[in-house]
Structure formats: C-alpha cells, structure tokens
Amino acid sequence: MDPVIVVGAGPVGLALSLALAGQGVPSVVLDEGAGKDEPRTARTAVLRPDTAELLERLGCATVRDDGARWAGWRSLRRHQEVRRIVFGDDGGPPSPVHLPQHDLTRGLRDAVTAHELVRTVPHGRLDTIEQDDGGVTAHTREPGATSWRGSFLVGCDGARSTVRKLLDIRFPGRTSVERHAVAALRTELPWPDEALLHRMPPWRTGGQEVTARPLPGGVWRLDWLLPSRGELVTPEALLARIRDTLGGWCGETPPYELIDTGVYTVHHRLARRWRVGRAFLAGDSAHLLGALGTQGLDEGLRDIDNLAWKLAQAWHLGASETLLDSYQAERRTAVAARLRAADQALPVLRGSGLRTYLSGTARGHDTLLTGGHLGRGALGAPPEYTHSPLTPLHTEAQTLVGTPLGGPVADVRATAPDGTTVRLRDRLGRGRQLVVLVAPGTGVWDRRHWMTAGLMPRLAAAVTALPVRAELLVAESYPGATAHTVLLVRPDGHLVAAFHGVRPAELYAAADAARGGAPAGAQAGPGPQRSGEAEGPGEPGRSGSEKTTHAGRTADIN
C-alpha cells in the first residue's frame, strides 16, 4: 500500500503523520518551506488538556519540557476580581499548556525525524491532485518537480489551502470577527505564573479587554482586543498600551524587555466539504475560528485525532464509506457548533447598553469567556459525537455511565493484558478499540487468579471474536458505572457503548457499528490478514513514495 500524503508541515500536518505512524501507517509530508520555522515569541499556542495530552502521546517533548502550565486563572472586570481558578494536582482542574508555536513545531519535527515511517519533503509545493480507484497522485512544482503516489491525501496546508482550491471546495464565513494587538515581553506581574483576563480595564488605552498569559522564562504574552473600526496600530500606540497596562496592574510601569509584537485578525470560516474521494481537509484548511478565547489549533488537533485511526483502519483492513464519511459528519458538525456558539455570544459579550449592567451579567459573561480560554463549555470543551453515523443502535443491554455516548472517556487507571497498571487514555492512538470491564477489587488480587475467574473468560472470548482489533482492560471503577459494566471505547477515546455484563452479540454489533460496518470492496491492507488484526506497520525503512517525472499539466487554482 502507498503512504498517506500529508500536505503541510505545520503542527496539524506533523501531528497527523505521527498519529498515523503510531498505528503503523507510513506517510509523506509535503513541506512548502525549507523545514525550518522563524522564531516568533508573540505567536503562541494554548493547548487544552486533551490536545496537550495527545501531543505528548505522539512524542512531542517540547509540550512537556518547554510549555508553561499556569498556576491559576483570574478574571477581572474594571477594579473587581470576578473569578479565580487554581490549577494543579491538589484537586484542581488541569491547566492548559502555553508555548511559542515555533517550539511546538520544533518538537513535532524532532519526533517526525526519529520515526522511520514518516518522510518529510522540503520545498514540496503542491501543483496538482489526481485521484483514481486505487489512490491519489500529487505533483509538486519546481525545483525538483515530482509525483507522489499515496493511498489517501490530507490537506493540512492552512487558511489559503492549495488542496482545498484544487478540490474546488468553497470556504464561506465571516472576515475580521475580532482584531488583537499582541506583545511578548519579559517582566514581573503581581500574579506569578497565573493567566489573567481583564475586561473593561480602568485606564485610557485598556480598551474593552486585555489578557496576560505566562510563558516559560518570565515571558508574558499580552493581547489587547482592538476596536472593530480597524484603527491602525502604530509602534507608539502599542508602547503606550504596554506602559499603561503594566502600570495599571503594578501601580507603576515596571522594567520590561519587549521581545516581539504583532497584530492578528480572527476570521470565522468553515469549508463546505471535508472529504472528496480519497482527499480530506484538516486544521485551518477546513475551518478558521479563534474569537472569544477559542483556539483553532486545538480543533485542528482534534481533527487529526479523529481522522488518523479511520485512515489506519482503511490502510490496514479497508474501510466502509460510512467510516470515511464519518470524519466530516463528526468533526464538521463539532466545529460548526463551536462557530455557532461564538457567533451567538459575540453580540452579547462585545455589546453595550443597559443589559451589560444587569445583575449577574458580568459573571455570566465571564463564564463564557473563561470556557473559551480554558477549554470548557460551548466555546471550548472537547466534542461529543452524540449523533455520529458510527453510533450503534440502542439496545436494552446498554446502560448509562458518567460519560455520555460519543463523549471522551474518563482517564481512569486500568490493568493491561500484561498485568501492568496504566492510564486508560495512555492506550489510545494505537488503532484498537478498547473493551473495559469495571470490576471492583481486582486491583488487590493477583492477576493470575481473576483472569480465569468470573466474567473474564467469556469476555476475553468475546473480545477475540470482534470484527476489529481490540484490547481488553480491567478497571476498578469508572464514573457512574456499576460493577460488571463493560465499556466499548473508540481508538480516539470516545465512548461507543456501555453494557451491564458480558453481552457478546451486542458487543460485536457495537464494535461493527463503530468501524462503520464491513469494509467496502476489496481489502485495502498489505496482504492477507485475519479479521480484526493488522499484520504490522509495513516494511521498515520503506519510503512509501513513487517518484516519476513531471508528465501532468498545471491545474488552475485561482
């Protein structure tokens, strides 16, 4: 089988190649640039806990080593503190991770370089795409014009996506939803290691809103929401904002070192289609969002977490059209809901008049904005694929647990087949569905005894008979689950179904639904395989590409 062609070597494209490699699928990453990124401290990424966990699982060391985890979050309105949240291990929620985007990309590039199943191609500027029943051919421009043959192609090439244009996909939406001035500087603020959202700051240049988010090494990123009328931000005006803001927070302007500045504009756009045959869109090529504290990179990483296991299924064993179409059905619906929530909240949060002074209004607005910044609520929480085409039909054997169907599972401790204790979410991203038995007391028993006792032999046999690759885990407890509950979890960590007791027929039907049914047509994997198993990651060291001379014509992408 040919590799998956990934167009674009930003964080989303690199993460996709690593997610595929972790499931034994080779890829070729076409990098339009030279393979290096300009350091820009003012351009940062805020990773919510689920996407930070995903990147660490993919081997991006800079998330762990170079990212700042905040001690807390403060919300102010004028002179008053509205809310404070403490992060940490002492019962507090997990903190987002904040780091410069060039550090994030560097960590992903390092992980890609170390993986033999990923090949990166510098100066790989896409020219044409051709599809047939067997795969995709992508041609790159001079210098070194080359044709690359792949099983699938994924456009992760940003807001001006060449892939999207070649596929003739419309990209409607709203322009200039919000504008922000940004400064990265080194200084000391009264809230060490805590992020801050200050609405209606009481100084002349404060504007409507300013945020301060710490980075490693005593560096802070400050963002000022700019007026909608589009006034020019001169260096002098930005310096005045910096001095007034630092003085307003500290009583007088403290010493500071200005490292980087910028102005960015938020657009809201959503591609009409995310799949055309064997070609897909992900990240900024499929959607743009970012108002009210939301992060487009977060959604791009959730795209590839959703898509990677489906492409791995197709590559190894073949996939139904239902499975491949479910990527658009799930992810486009989730991002559309996020954009809709932001568009509905914008007039309220950015409006004026008497309603902004009503009792409780400030606190309600703060809850919405905090959700956007911290990854909660309608503006930021991880998606739930409640109405997915992969959802099995409800049966009387199913039961309810603390996680809604289609929601991300809780990260409980579990016992793996080799007897080791693991975190449930550590077993994700391997292309296998997870079957979790909730069995209180097993943690204090010798595994040799309970593996052959009670429900285990029957459940193990049922898991072996599933039409997909699956792994059996045992957990002492799970939120909202009673003893002997059996959970079925997708490879990306979303709950498929929960059953009370061992129900082999219902478990089989749910696993089959979660893979989109039987693969269409001939098997797509490399050689004969048993049902539910892949034979491996392919040939070690194989480039997975096929070079030919340029024989095609240049497509008009304007």
Side-chain angles (χ1 to χ4, degrees):
M1 280 294 292
D2 294 312
V4 173
I5 301 172
V6 179
V7 183
V12 172
L14 294 171
L16 174 59
S17 69
L18 289 169
L20 291 169
Q23 298 173 63
V25 179
S27 62
V28 170
V29 181
L30 302 182
D31 185 353
E32 188 174 89
K36 297 181 180 180
D37 298 278
E38 178 189 4
R40 287 294 310 275
T41 309
R43 188 182 186 191
T44 65
V46 179
L47 302 170
R48 289 5 185 255
D50 65 308
T51 53
E53 173 194 88
L54 168 64
L55 290 174
E56 288 193 58
R57 195 165 67 235
L58 295 178
C60 182
T62 51
V63 172
R64 179 189 66 248
D65 299 337
D66 299 331
R69 283 176 166 80
W70 306 331
W73 169 269
R74 291 176 186 264
S75 297
L76 306 180
R77 181 179 174 86
R78 302 189 189 279
H79 297 281
Q80 180 183 5
E81 182 175 293
V82 179
R83 173 175 301 190
R84 182 167 183 253
I85 299 172
V86 177
F87 301 119
D89 299 327
D90 298 330
S95 166
V97 178
H98 189 205
L99 75 167
Q101 187 161 311
H102 63 263
D103 285 341
L104 172 61
T105 307
R106 171 172 54 83
L108 289 167
R109 287 190 186 277
D110 290 345
V112 161
T113 301
H115 214 298
E116 64 178 9
L117 289 180
V118 184
R119 176 177 183 178
T120 57
V121 180
H123 305 294
R125 301 183 62 192
L126 187 67
D127 192 343
T128 60
I129 299 172
E130 297 177 0
Q131 300 193 53
D132 54 52
D133 291 341
V136 184
T137 300
H139 186 270
T140 54
R141 303 177 187 177
E142 296 287 353
T146 306
S147 287
W148 303 91
R149 181 66 176 176
S151 52
F152 299 95
L153 180 144
V154 185
C156 305
D157 49 342
R160 299 178 180 179
S161 171
T162 300
V163 173
R164 190 183 64 243
K165 294 174 183 176
L166 289 173
L167 296 176
D168 195 25
I169 297 175
R170 292 182 59 203
F171 198 39
R174 298 175 56 197
T175 301
S176 301
V177 176
E178 286 187 348
R179 294 173 63 246
H180 295 258
V182 185
L185 49 88
R186 184 176 284 107
T187 190
E188 292 186 9
L189 293 182
W191 313 279
D193 300 322
E194 291 191 15
L196 175 74
L197 168 67
H198 198 161
R199 303 190 70 213
M200 305 298 179
W203 50 84
R204 182 178 60 84
T205 59
Q208 192 173 6
E209 182 179 296
V210 58
T211 59
R213 291 172 282 195
L215 287 160
V219 176
W220 294 80
R221 169 173 164 163
L222 274 58
D223 289 60
W224 293 267
L225 179 64
L226 297 173
S228 58
R229 60 181 178 273
E231 67 180 29
L232 182 65
V233 181
T234 64
E236 294 77 13
L238 184 56
L239 287 174
R241 287 181 184 271
I242 294 173
R243 289 191 297 267
D244 290 351
T245 300
L246 296 182
W249 287 337
C250 303
E252 59 182 14
T253 304
Y256 68 91
E257 174 191 356
L258 185 59
I259 301 172
D260 192 17
T261 63
V263 175
Y264 73 92
T265 302
V266 175
H267 308 292
H268 279 181
R269 295 190 178 276
L270 185 65
R272 291 288 191 192
R273 292 180 292 165
W274 291 26
R275 179 196 175 200
V276 177
R278 291 176 172 266
F280 300 80
L281 300 178
D284 285 354
S285 66
H287 50 74
L288 295 177
L289 69 166
L292 307 179
T294 59
Q295 292 281 314
L297 178 57
D298 261 349
E299 296 302 334
L301 293 172
R302 289 165 179 161
D303 292 344
I304 65 100
D305 196 27
N306 184 288
L307 181 60
W309 72 270
K310 298 172 182 178
L311 293 182
Q313 169 76 20
W315 197 90
H316 286 298
L317 298 170
S320 67
E321 291 298 306
T322 300
L323 181 66
L324 296 177
D325 283 341
S326 71
Y327 167 65
Q328 172 176 309
E330 292 177 347
R331 288 301 306 146
R332 190 179 186 278
T333 299
V335 175
R338 190 83 77 221
L339 286 168
R340 187 162 51 250
D343 285 343
Q344 291 171 349
L346 272 165
V348 177
L349 294 173
R350 304 305 188 210
S352 58
L354 288 176
R355 64 178 177 175
T356 63
Y357 295 93
L358 295 176
S359 177
T361 298
R363 189 165 295 277
H365 290 184
D366 173 74
T367 299
L368 272 173
L369 284 171
T370 296
H373 283 279
L374 301 184
R376 303 176 177 188
L379 293 178
E384 298 176 0
Y385 304 130
T386 307
H387 302 292
S388 167
L390 306 183
T391 301
L393 294 175
H394 180 76
T395 67
E396 292 183 359
Q398 294 187 26
T399 185
L400 297 177
V401 296
T403 300
L405 295 182
V409 292
D411 192 20
V412 299
R413 290 191 176 276
T415 301
D418 60 1
T420 58
T421 300
V422 298
R423 305 297 308 191
L424 180 56
R425 298 190 66 84
D426 287 342
R427 311 305 282 188
L428 303 178
R430 305 184 183 195
R432 297 191 292 263
Q433 293 188 22
L434 303 180
V435 178
V436 184
L437 171 65
V438 179
T442 50
V444 297
W445 290 8
D446 189 309
R447 179 177 175 273
R448 291 173 298 176
H449 300 305
W450 57 257
M451 279 297 292
T452 57
L455 302 175
M456 285 301 296
R458 188 165 177 241
L459 180 57
V463 171
T464 302
L466 292 178
V468 294
R469 295 179 291 172
E471 180 179 20
L472 176 58
L473 303 172
V474 180
E476 285 246 7
S477 63
Y478 188 88
T482 59
H484 302 158
T485 297
V486 175
L487 310 176
L488 180 63
V489 182
R490 293 179 1 170
D492 59 352
H494 289 261
L495 181 65
V496 177
F499 303 95
H500 184 65
V502 179
R503 306 292 185 116
E506 289 84 351
L507 184 63
Y508 185 101
D512 188 51
R515 67 163 179 162
Q523 182 174 316
Q529 297 164 1
R530 289 195 297 136
S531 174
E533 292 186 359
E535 289 199 349
E539 303 169 20
R542 158 185 171 180
S543 69
S545 60
E546 180 179 290
K547 292 187 176 182
T548 62
T549 56
H550 178 27
R553 58 185 178 83
T554 302
D556 179 11
I557 64 171
N558 296 323

